[in-house]
Amino acid sequence: MVVFAEYIWMDGTQPTQKLRSKTKVLEVDDVKKVEDLPKWGFDGSSTNQATGDKSDCALHPVSYYTDPIRGWPHVLVMCEVFLADGKTPHPTNTRAALRAAAKKSEAQDPWFGIEQEYTLFKGSRPLGFPDNGGFPAPQGPYYCGVGADEVHGRELVEAHMEACAAAGMRISGINAEVMPGQWEFQIGPLGPLQAADQIWLARWLLYRLGEEFGINATLYPKPMRGDWNGAGAHTNFSTKAMRNKGGMKVIEAACKALGTRHYDHIQEYGANNTERLTGRHETCSIDQFRYGVSDRGASIRIPLQTAQDDKGYLEDRRPAANMDPYRVCRVILETVCLNAKPVLGGVANGTTGKAAQVLAAVTHGSH
Ligand code: ADP
Ligand code: MN
Ligand code: MN
Ligand code: MN
């Protein structure tokens, strides 16, 4: 049979890597496992991954899902990028390091559930913001709202949820967000590689379906300055010990460990996050670290249900919408499951401006 395989990979754009894809037409008996999909290559000099004289990069399929747009037997294929030798992960291949950390943490059975917030744009303004430069009514009614005066872009959001489910991904919900034109979908709970692969593929589907609607989704963490919420990617996490009775003790120990490596995490949690983590709009300031039960102003929230049941998970509220889930899942595993030592460390008394320094190398805006 003929299979249109859409090979999808992360490019080398900094500070926020973007998705690229191209189609390989395969003549195969069936696609039953990832090994049925051949390795491939691309021109790295056009993706910020190579120079023109040594332009070949290798694509290694690592997971695949039904292509919900073309339908089965067509597939979406997530790939890792390798150097031309086919053995060395490309420096932009952040999944390779997550693979290693996931393997070492396997016995603790870690699960991730990621809430991906995003903002829909038509032209240069978010949906719901008038073209003439004016502003909609202040925030309040939009979160989980209904009605044409409050909700913008639902056709695309619904098509996206349908597509993720039809692809076979574990999409666990959607909701309209606090700012007009802002939405969220959730993936998980799943193991680290599956959760992270599905976030990248769900982002690809969102951009791809946006083409049909003339709407562009962006992950910029603070798309509108002023009294408008930013966009994050809350990362919910648990290990087997946290999910068992007595889990609260394990969760509290994890929160303490996360505090000792606050800046090691901030470094991995997305670009331009200083604009979003201000201490306002349901965030904790980027130069503070706090955890607490039910506290949406904390860095880490422990859901009330988890505290009541003495088992469950924690929610790391710091990652920005434009984070790379391979990097976020990796650093959480290193801190919580693999006892990594602090390098950049935690928040000392009266620390200010350290996050801006840490992120200085990655603060050039990108959508
Ligand atoms: P919020 O109240 O913060 O908006 P959501 O319902 O949007 O929460 O998201 C909760 C996320 O937590 C979902 O992605 C879900 O898959 C995930 N989740 C649920 N249980 C666990 C668990 N035990 N470990 C990790 N993630 C979990
Ligand atoms: Mn949510
Ligand atoms: Mn949200
Ligand atoms: Mn949340």
Side-chain angles (χ1 to χ4, degrees), residues 115 117 143 175 177 184-186 234 236 296 301 315:
E115 304 167 53
E117 293 179 343
Y143 170 75
N175 60 268
E177 270 302 338
E184 166 180 317
F185 65 82
Q186 302 109 32
H234 299 165
N236 301 273
R296 284 187 157 73
R301 176 176 68 105
E315 178 195 44

